[in-house]
Amino acid sequence: MDPLSLLVGAGIAVSGFLAGRFGTRRRAGERPEQVEPLCTCGHGLAYHDRESQDCHGLVKTAVKFDKVYGAVGYEMRPCTCRRYVGPMPLETFYAPEITD
């Protein structure tokens, strides 16, 4: 190998190391943002009935419109979601304590 390609390779390796070392990264005490599991309607699992899966939440619906600005009046109406399709929480299990 010629010395020029070795120097170029070393320069690329050093620049990659420095970019990883001093680039943006998460601080040690910082926690990532908590993500809440939501259905496609925007409501959580608590808004959906366990048996029928109907949503009991309210959604903001446009009821008045203007030619220039579009929707100008809103009303809270029941959500039309019929089934929760978001991520399901992990099941909780109860195991009795083992005693001898």
Side-chain angles (χ1 to χ4, degrees), residues 9-25:
I12 291 172
V14 168
S15 63
F17 173 77
L18 292 175
R21 181 79 174 139
F22 298 111
T24 58
R25 62 182 181 164

Side-chain angles (χ1 to χ4, degrees), residues 30-58:
E30 224 175 275
R31 292 189 178 196
E33 180 181 321
Q34 292 291 331
V35 179
E36 185 179 337
L38 296 176
C39 182
T40 54
C41 66
H43 297 116
L45 181 60
Y47 284 95
H48 293 79
D49 190 10
R50 287 183 185 252
E51 285 81 32
S52 66
Q53 293 292 321
D54 289 340
C55 184
H56 298 295
L58 298 174

Side-chain angles (χ1 to χ4, degrees), residues 4 6 11 17 19-20 28 36 41-44 46 51 54-56 70 81 83 88 92-94 97 100:
L4 182 61
L6 290 175
F17 173 77
E36 185 179 337
C41 66
H43 297 116
E51 285 81 32
D54 289 340
C55 184
H56 298 295
C81 177
R83 189 170 73 93
M88 296 304 281
T92 56
F93 295 102
Y94 170 74
E97 187 175 330
D100 289 330

Side-chain angles (χ1 to χ4, degrees), residues 67-79:
K67 290 182 181 179
V68 178
Y69 299 109
V72 293
Y74 296 94
E75 200 175 86
M76 297 304 283
R77 292 189 177 169
C79 184

Side-chain angles (χ1 to χ4, degrees), residues 59-66 70-77:
V59 287
K60 185 176 174 182
T61 307
V63 291
K64 290 184 182 178
F65 297 92
D66 188 3
V72 293
Y74 296 94
E75 200 175 86
M76 297 304 283
R77 292 189 177 169

